[in-house]
Amino acid sequence: MDEGRTMKGNEGLRCEVCGNVYDKSFEVRVAGATHVFDSFECAIHALAPTCSHCGCRVIGHGMETDGVFYCCAHCAEQHGIHEFEDRVEARPQEK
């Protein structure tokens, strides 16, 4: 964390997910709307997209096609999306 930044001393805002009032709560702005959370766990629960196959929250890069989110290529493949790859083998360096 930057030396000039501190989390202490805010007025104790209420988390919109769990309702906890916490002096280290924080705000996240998404598409012009401001959300308040007391933890990253609550922020993920409220804001992270859900994999269309397995239902887990996509907290990494994930994959998306036509507005549909997947956590990995395997889940996308289960829905007939075959152009994604989780891992691409490294090509030998050309000489």
Side-chain angles (χ1 to χ4, degrees):
M1 195 178 272
D2 294 337
E3 291 179 29
R5 284 181 69 190
T6 180
M7 292 293 288
K8 67 181 181 178
N10 80 26
E11 59 272 15
L13 301 173
R14 183 175 305 278
C15 176
E16 66 183 57
V17 172
C18 70
N20 186 33
V21 176
Y22 185 45
D23 68 340
K24 295 173 185 65
S25 60
F26 56 93
E27 296 178 349
V28 176
R29 290 186 53 89
V30 177
T34 301
H35 302 272
V36 177
F37 305 106
D38 70 340
S39 67
F40 287 110
E41 180 180 7
C42 284
I44 288 167
H45 178 76
L47 300 176
T50 303
C51 177
S52 291
H53 178 68
C54 72
C56 76
R57 294 291 178 173
V58 181
I59 60 173
H61 292 285
M63 299 172 175
E64 176 186 5
T65 183
D66 296 327
V68 178
F69 290 90
Y70 301 98
C71 64
C72 63
H74 171 78
C75 283
E77 190 169 305
Q78 300 304 303
H79 282 212
I81 310 298
H82 302 288
E83 60 266 15
F84 293 139
E85 293 183 17
D86 283 325
R87 183 178 310 188
V88 178
E89 297 296 323
R91 287 190 278 172
Q93 290 184 346
E94 294 179 24
K95 293 182 183 180

